[in-house]
């Protein structure tokens, strides 16, 4: 199996930046894509961004396009989410998850990291 650990969350002022990391370990050769999701209190989980683990094809939610950038360091088995121009509405617990090759569902999740954007 794959283990995912998020880090980099914290408290930041509106307009500031954070970089989240998702470190993968275990059977990383089985990863097809890693995605970032977020969930604010009382709200449904929301897709943020995703990247294929080998080819670096990317996808973004409309709400973060132009502000967030997803990237990966294959050698380090780590995916990053660079978040710029942060807004209070970005406040949420951010999770990374992976899909297995040939299976387009996110069935392996990290523990989450809290991002809080203050006004």
């Amino acid at each position: 199996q794959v283990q995912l650990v998020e880090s980099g969350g914290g408290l930041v002022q509106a307009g500031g930046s954070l970089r989240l990391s998702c470190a993968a370990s275990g059977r990383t050769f089985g990863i097809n894509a890693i995605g970032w999701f977020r969930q604010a209190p009382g709200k449904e989980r929301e897709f943020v961004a995703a990247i294929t683990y080998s080819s670096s094809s990317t996808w973004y939610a409309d709400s973060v396009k132009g502000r967030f950038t997803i990237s990966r360091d294959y050698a380090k088995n780590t995916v990053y989410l660079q978040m710029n121009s942060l807004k209070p509405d970005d406040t949420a617990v951010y999770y990374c998850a992976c899909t297995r090759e040939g299976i387009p569902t996110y069935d392996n999740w990290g523990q989450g990291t809290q991002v809080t954007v203050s006004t």
Side-chain angles (χ1 to χ4, degrees), residues 6 20-22 35-37 47-49 70 79-81 94-96:
E6 302 96 333
L20 306 183
S21 298
C22 175
W36 285 98
F37 298 79
F47 170 79
V48 177
I70 190 170
V79 170
Y80 304 99
L81 184 67
Y94 283 71
Y95 300 89
C96 64

Side-chain angles (χ1 to χ4, degrees), residues 2-80:
V2 176
Q3 294 81 45
L4 302 175
V5 179
E6 302 96 333
S7 62
L11 176 65
V12 65
Q13 293 181 343
S17 299
L18 285 173
R19 189 177 76 161
L20 306 183
S21 298
C22 175
S25 61
R27 293 185 173 271
T28 57
F29 60 84
I31 296 174
N32 175 247
I34 290 182
W36 285 98
F37 298 79
R38 65 188 183 186
Q39 188 166 22
K43 295 185 178 180
E44 190 77 11
R45 184 184 64 196
E46 177 188 17
F47 170 79
V48 177
I51 187 169
T52 56
Y53 207 52
S54 60
S55 68
S56 296
S57 298
T58 59
W59 300 263
Y60 295 94
D62 288 342
S63 60
V64 305
K65 286 181 179 177
R67 299 189 298 122
F68 291 10
T69 303
I70 190 170
S71 62
R72 64 115 177 90
D73 187 331
Y74 189 78
K76 295 182 178 180
N77 293 322
T78 300
V79 170
Y80 304 99

Side-chain angles (χ1 to χ4, degrees), residues 86-98:
L86 283 162
K87 306 173 182 178
D89 285 348
D90 295 319
T91 295
V93 177
Y94 283 71
Y95 300 89
C96 64
C98 67

